């Protein structure tokens, strides 16, 4: 099987599992700590439904309600995160079955393999970093990826591999947040600092991850996300 045919087969496999977008990204320029020695990342994601986003946007304490009622496992975002993680694990299996090396960056796998720093709540290669090198968005003032098409209303995962895939690398987009501070205003804990992201900036200047309660309001109130779910 040629490289082109294999990549097409892989693309169909990921699409059939429900991904809304897929990118093959060149990460060979990153440090060994980040890319684990793999030259390519397969990045994919699923967009959250507009109905769900409207519901969360209209219910500021939505996440708190889900937690207090112990129904968070029925939440669409939670279920979508589980789905993208599952897809990543299956892609890893698919690549290994085809005699290539691969590493799924699903939550369970990065924790199991010690790739996630629990003390600092970070991993050397976040999906959003790969997404920036794919050229699909920028980092917002809430420290999340923002895309022109979906805003921040996506769940992403990635797989690192040495499979001979045709990949590309884009320069990270400049922030398009401008003077907007909506995410900072809706953040009840003050975790969001309101600073524009720029390449190399310390995460602590953007957000205090230890104060974040994952209320999701910074996502649904973002004008880019609202443009997505209000666009019929």
């Amino acid at each position: 099987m040629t490289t082109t045919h294999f990549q097409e087969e892989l693309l169909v496999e990921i699409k059939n599992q429900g991904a809304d977008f897929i990118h093959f990204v060149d990460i060979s320029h990153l440090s060994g700590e980040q890319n684990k020695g793999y030259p390519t990342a397969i990045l994919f994601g699923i967009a959250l439904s507009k109905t769900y986003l409207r519901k969360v946007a209209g219910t500021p304490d939505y996440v708190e309600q889900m937690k207090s009622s112990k129904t968070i496992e029925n939440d669409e975002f939670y279920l979508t995160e589980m789905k993208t993680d599952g897809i990543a694990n299956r892609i890893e299996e698919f690549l290994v079955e085809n005699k290539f090396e691969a590493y799924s960056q699903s939550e369970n796998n990065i924790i199991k393999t010690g790739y996630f720093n629990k003390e600092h709540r970070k991993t050397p290669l976040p999906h959003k970093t790969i997404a920036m090198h794919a050229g699909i968005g920028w980092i917002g003032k809430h420290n999340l990826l923002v895309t022109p098409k979906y805003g921040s209303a996506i769940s992403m995962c990635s797989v690192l591999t040495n499979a001979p895939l045709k990949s590309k690398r884009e320069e990270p987009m400049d922030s398009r947040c401008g003077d907007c501070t909506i995410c900072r205003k809706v953040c009840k804990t003050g975790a969001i600092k309101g600073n524009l992201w720029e390449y190399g900036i310390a995460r602590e200047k953007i957000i205090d991850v230890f104060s974040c309660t994952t209320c999701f309001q910074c996502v649904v109130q973002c004008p880019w996300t609202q443009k997505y779910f209000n666009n019929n």
Side-chain angles (χ1 to χ4, degrees):
M1 182 184 300
T2 66
T3 297
T4 300
H5 287 158
F6 177 73
Q7 188 157 343
E8 289 175 352
E9 182 180 343
L10 181 59
L11 193 63
V12 170
E13 178 72 17
I14 302 171
K15 283 183 178 179
N16 286 344
Q17 292 185 40
D20 289 314
F21 59 86
I22 307 159
H23 296 273
F24 299 95
V25 188
D26 177 5
I27 56 170
S28 61
H29 65 294
L30 300 178
S31 69
E33 180 188 13
Q34 289 179 291
N35 65 23
K36 298 180 71 68
Y38 293 105
T40 303
I42 303 168
L43 175 82
F44 58 91
I46 299 174
L48 300 173
S49 74
K50 296 180 179 182
T51 300
Y52 170 75
L53 295 167
R54 292 190 190 103
K55 177 173 65 175
V56 179
T59 314
D61 59 347
Y62 172 82
V63 172
E64 288 87 342
Q65 289 181 16
M66 295 292 283
K67 288 179 179 178
S68 62
S69 63
K70 297 182 180 180
T71 55
I72 198 70
E73 292 186 356
N74 297 324
D75 174 62
E76 181 180 318
F77 180 64
Y78 174 83
L79 293 171
T80 306
E81 290 273 275
M82 294 300 100
K83 184 174 181 178
T84 51
D85 276 8
I87 294 173
N89 292 336
R90 287 191 288 274
I91 294 171
E92 179 191 280
E93 293 173 1
F94 179 84
L95 290 165
V96 171
E97 288 172 357
N98 281 275
K99 312 302 181 185
F100 300 112
E101 295 179 11
Y103 179 81
S104 165
Q105 290 213 111
S106 66
E107 183 175 347
N108 286 340
N109 200 40
I110 62 174
I111 292 174
K112 180 178 68 176
T113 58
Y115 201 48
F116 178 73
N117 187 317
K118 293 182 180 179
E119 181 182 357
H120 299 289
R121 297 185 186 178
K122 63 170 59 175
T123 176
L125 186 57
H127 310 310
K128 61 188 175 187
T129 299
I130 300 172
M132 283 196 300
H133 288 298
I136 65 172
W138 65 94
I139 301 301
K141 292 180 181 179
H142 52 5
N143 199 45
L144 300 172
L145 186 77
V146 185
T147 67
K149 184 173 183 179
Y150 301 112
S152 295
I154 53 177
S155 172
M156 296 184 294
C157 203
S158 56
V159 178
L160 314 184
T161 184
N162 67 350
L165 303 170
K166 293 181 180 179
S167 61
K168 67 176 184 177
R169 181 173 84 238
E170 304 286 349
E171 288 299 316
M173 282 187 188
D174 291 332
S175 173
R176 298 184 187 177
C177 295
D179 295 329
C180 179
T181 58
I182 288 176
C183 60
R184 182 183 184 184
K185 290 176 181 176
V186 299
C187 181
K188 295 180 180 179
T189 65
I192 297 172
K193 307 299 182 182
N195 296 321
L196 280 174
W197 179 91
E198 59 183 18
Y199 200 80
I201 191 172
R203 182 183 66 178
E204 291 70 27
K205 291 185 177 181
I206 301 293
I207 190 171
D208 177 2
V209 296
F210 299 98
S211 296
C212 175
T213 60
T214 321
C215 71
F216 216 58
Q217 288 303 307
C218 63
V219 172
V220 297
Q221 303 300 341
C222 172
W224 290 92
T225 301
Q226 296 215 340
K227 180 181 177 182
Y228 159 61
F229 71 70
N230 287 321
N231 184 358
N232 294 320

